[in-house]
Amino acid sequence: MEKIIILDCGSQVTQLIGRRLRELNVFCEIQPFSKPVEITPEVKGIILSGSPCSVLDANAPQINWDNFLGKLPVLGICYGAQYLAHRLGGKVGKSDSREYGRAILNVVKADSPLLKGVSAQSQVWMSHGDTILALPAGAQVIASTADVENAAFQLNGQPTYAVQFHPEVYHTAEGTQMLSNFALGICGCKGDWTPDSFIETTVADLRAMIGNEKVILGLSGGVDSTVAGVLLNKAIGHNLTCIFVNNGLLRKNEFEDVLASYQDMGLNVIGADASKEFLSALAGVSEPEAKRKIIGRLFVETFDKYAKGIENARWLAQGTIYPDVIESAGIPGIASKIKSHHNVGGLPEEMNLKIVEPLRMLFKDEVRRVGRALGIKEELVGRHPFPGPSLAIRIIGDVTEEKLRILREADDIYIRGLRAYDCTGMGFPSASDPRVMATNLYDAIWQAGVILLPVKSVGVMGDERTYENPVALRAVVSTDAMTADWFPFPYDFLAQVSNEIIRKVRGVNRVVYDVSSKPPATIEWE
């Protein structure tokens, strides 16, 4: 299968480059910059990613390009562009002011293959502190901005291109066109990698990897574990045993509803109630990372317990997707860790299971495309993401049964309200906005939930003073969970849900709405 290799220099958005290529139906592999690149006939091009490092740093990522530069098409992005300029004899230095955010790109060389079909002026997204002060010999400028003369360049006589902005992010209006020009034009890729081809390849790989050994999968009811389960079931059939753990932190009636939803899917599912163990271990624990690690530890311990009862079980399957991975760890010493995910990383040495993660390199919307191609029913494919640590990280502070009761009741009212509200007349920003297809607020939103805050506020109910908890509503729109914007609710919906929560949920007397985006905030509060 033809592919493009992306050398990851530590950028938090490296995977977005791969995501854009996959939207173009071009297969790609992301490899650390330090790994020697094996050039085979299938490799059609190389992309050098961005990085939080400066090329001037003593410990800056160093790329060995001897076997591909000048021989294969190369595209340097941000750090990758500066690295090309620096290593080839140009000059990189600190810019007068940090170049960050939106800028207008002016095309200088309209006949450049990288800029074919790109408007003379278009919005791009900058994110760097250094800038290219002088190009290397044999290079020419192909685009500039008002503040960045060498915003894009190419090397004469070879298919090497570089841009100091990020074409992979949505803020770069014509970034997909540029990546298409590189992948389909300059590299000559056919663009024949689809969800169906992913399924075919993944099923074959799973069969080759697992053989006749048995696999245990943790089902959560969410789209990731569901798609992972159906893929594995397609590959190994009866050798897959799915376990759904009740950690005592699930939404209202979720344990029973999830088990029922899998009855007609041909999956072998066991329900495991470990709620007492989880709640006991979490008692008095307030720090977010500590809560995640406790839940992660008990998660694998529970699976270890059930694995011992399944003869020849050798694998633990997880529905890990890329946003889980990139927030948990990047390239050691370069990419920043944001938070731990219970389904990312190694297993205890005493647990004799190997990990298989068939969706590890996909984004959520790609997982949904694969799920639909597998024929999974829409009510499961379209479910909002739900955090692995469940409601424990939507309770700010320690977790108690009473706090869980309050949060479950408020969350149930909120989610039911989203599903019931008709949004067909809301008028979303553009016809290409995916939300225009939604008929209710739930389908128009990427992820929603209620957060129980660790403070109390004064209120009045009837003629009596109350001193109870506020809750925060959270709702965001996104395509990949790497960035997200808060959802602009109609005022009547907020009034309706706020009123119902305060009237019906004992212990709540105030409702607020979170209007922060990611970044700088994250989607979850913990």
Side-chain angles (χ1 to χ4, degrees):
M1 181 183 296
E2 62 182 20
K3 61 186 176 184
I4 289 176
I5 292 177
I6 302 167
L7 294 183
D8 184 8
C9 297
S11 170
Q12 290 284 356
V13 294
T14 295
Q15 190 70 11
L16 288 180
I17 306 170
R19 185 177 178 279
R20 297 295 172 261
L21 293 178
R22 291 196 290 264
E23 286 176 349
L24 298 168
N25 296 331
V26 174
F27 181 70
C28 61
E29 288 183 4
I30 295 178
Q31 301 177 5
F33 69 89
S34 54
K35 179 181 178 181
V37 179
E38 181 182 358
I39 301 301
T40 64
E42 293 78 22
V43 179
K44 302 300 181 183
I46 308 288
I47 294 179
L48 313 180
S49 85
S51 173
C53 299
S54 164
V55 298
L56 305 176
D57 293 343
N59 62 344
Q62 301 295 313
I63 301 166
N64 183 350
W65 57 34
D66 291 346
N67 62 344
F68 64 79
L69 188 66
K71 303 169 186 176
L72 286 174
V74 173
L75 173 62
I77 294 175
C78 197
Y79 175 90
Q82 294 168 0
Y83 187 79
L84 280 164
H86 179 66
R87 278 278 305 274
L88 294 174
K91 184 178 181 181
V92 175
K94 297 294 181 184
S95 59
D96 294 335
S97 61
R98 189 167 187 264
E99 293 160 351
Y100 179 83
R102 294 175 175 84
I104 298 301
L105 186 74
N106 299 301
V107 172
V108 174
K109 186 174 173 57
D111 62 348
S112 170
L114 185 67
L115 301 179
K116 181 180 179 181
V118 174
S119 303
Q121 291 187 321
S122 64
Q123 177 181 284
V124 296
W125 185 263
M126 297 282 191
S127 182
H128 55 264
D130 294 345
T131 194
I132 300 172
L133 300 174
L135 294 179
Q140 61 176 315
V141 175
I142 59 175
S144 303
T145 70
D147 297 319
V148 184
E149 180 183 358
N150 301 310
F153 69 89
Q154 68 184 49
L155 297 183
N156 298 328
Q158 60 175 276
T160 299
Y161 302 82
V163 296
Q164 285 201 86
F165 51 88
H166 286 273
E168 70 272 28
V169 303
Y170 277 106
H171 303 297
T172 297
E174 297 182 64
T176 298
Q177 179 63 45
M178 299 175 201
L179 290 174
S180 174
N181 288 341
F182 180 73
L184 301 179
I186 297 166
C187 296
C189 293
K190 298 182 182 68
D192 56 2
W193 188 75
T194 63
D196 287 333
S197 67
F198 171 82
I199 293 168
E200 181 180 353
T201 301
T202 302
V203 167
D205 289 346
L206 289 170
R207 286 172 179 162
M209 180 191 304
I210 296 166
N212 199 39
E213 294 178 334
K214 293 187 178 180
V215 179
I216 304 171
L217 167 68
L219 280 177
S220 68
V223 60
D224 303 333
S225 64
T226 299
V227 173
V230 175
L231 266 175
L232 282 158
N233 191 54
K234 188 178 181 69
I236 63 173
H238 66 278
N239 281 337
L240 172 67
T241 300
C242 302
I243 300 173
F244 177 46
V245 175
N246 181 7
N247 58 16
L249 306 166
L250 302 176
R251 286 170 159 168
K252 186 175 181 179
N253 301 324
E254 189 162 20
F255 186 56
E256 298 78 11
D257 291 346
V258 167
L259 288 177
S261 69
Y262 290 115
Q263 287 180 351
D264 62 347
M265 295 182 66
L267 297 178
N268 177 26
V269 184
I270 298 172
D273 189 352
S275 55
K276 290 182 179 179
E277 291 87 341
F278 277 82
L279 294 178
S280 176
L282 287 167
V285 179
S286 298
E287 204 276 322
E289 194 73 357
K291 288 194 287 188
R292 286 178 176 272
K293 288 180 177 178
I294 288 170
I295 293 167
R297 174 177 58 80
L298 289 175
F299 177 81
V300 294
E301 287 178 3
T302 301
F303 272 84
D304 191 29
K305 174 182 175 182
Y306 279 86
K308 290 175 180 175
I310 301 173
E311 187 178 356
N312 296 324
R314 295 289 181 267
W315 297 85
L316 173 64
Q318 298 184 148
T320 311
I321 62 173
Y322 187 72
D324 301 336
V325 176
I326 200 167
E327 288 191 343
S328 293
I331 296 175
I334 296 179
S336 299
K337 176 178 177 177
I338 298 174
K339 59 191 176 187
S340 294
H341 287 259
H342 79 284
N343 57 339
V344 175
L347 296 174
E349 291 183 4
E350 66 272 14
M351 189 174 184
N352 297 317
L353 294 178
K354 297 173 285 186
I355 290 182
V356 56
E357 297 168 312
L359 308 177
R360 186 180 179 87
M361 299 305 291
L362 298 186
F363 281 86
K364 181 75 70 175
D365 60 326
E366 294 174 318
V367 175
R368 289 195 169 110
R369 288 175 63 197
V370 170
R372 292 184 178 105
L374 285 167
I376 299 173
K377 49 192 175 185
E378 190 62 32
E379 64 191 72
L380 288 173
V381 175
R383 281 194 73 180
H384 285 184
F386 188 61
S390 309
L391 297 181
I393 59 167
R394 291 183 178 175
I395 294 174
I396 310 303
D398 65 323
V399 178
T400 67
E401 288 279 13
E402 175 62 9
K403 291 178 180 178
L404 284 166
R405 178 197 64 79
I406 293 172
L407 185 54
R408 284 191 181 108
E409 293 298 329
D411 183 82
D412 183 60
I413 291 170
Y414 182 38
I415 298 301
R416 285 192 292 104
L418 292 174
R419 292 187 182 278
Y421 193 95
D422 184 351
C423 70
T424 52
M426 284 185 62
F428 291 111
S430 71
S432 62
D433 192 313
R435 292 173 289 171
V436 300
M437 302 300 294
T439 58
N440 62 73
L441 285 177
Y442 184 88
D443 291 339
I445 290 168
W446 170 268
Q447 186 170 341
V450 178
I451 315 298
L452 181 62
L453 305 183
V455 295
K456 290 193 174 182
S457 65
V458 173
V460 177
M461 291 187 181
D463 294 325
E464 297 183 0
R465 174 186 182 274
T466 62
Y467 192 55
E468 296 178 336
N469 291 95
V471 295
L473 307 182
R474 183 72 162 138
V476 298
V477 290
S478 180
T479 55
D480 47 42
M482 300 301 296
T483 61
D485 292 321
W486 57 277
F487 186 83
F489 278 128
Y491 290 140
D492 64 326
F493 172 78
L494 288 173
Q496 171 189 321
V497 168
S498 172
N499 184 50
E500 187 173 356
I501 288 174
I502 292 171
R503 283 191 301 108
K504 294 183 177 180
V505 181
R506 178 172 44 85
V508 176
N509 67 353
R510 193 179 298 269
V511 175
V512 299
Y513 184 45
D514 180 353
V515 293
S516 50
S517 297
K518 176 185 179 180
T522 54
I523 295 176
E524 298 292 343
W525 280 39
E526 287 192 345

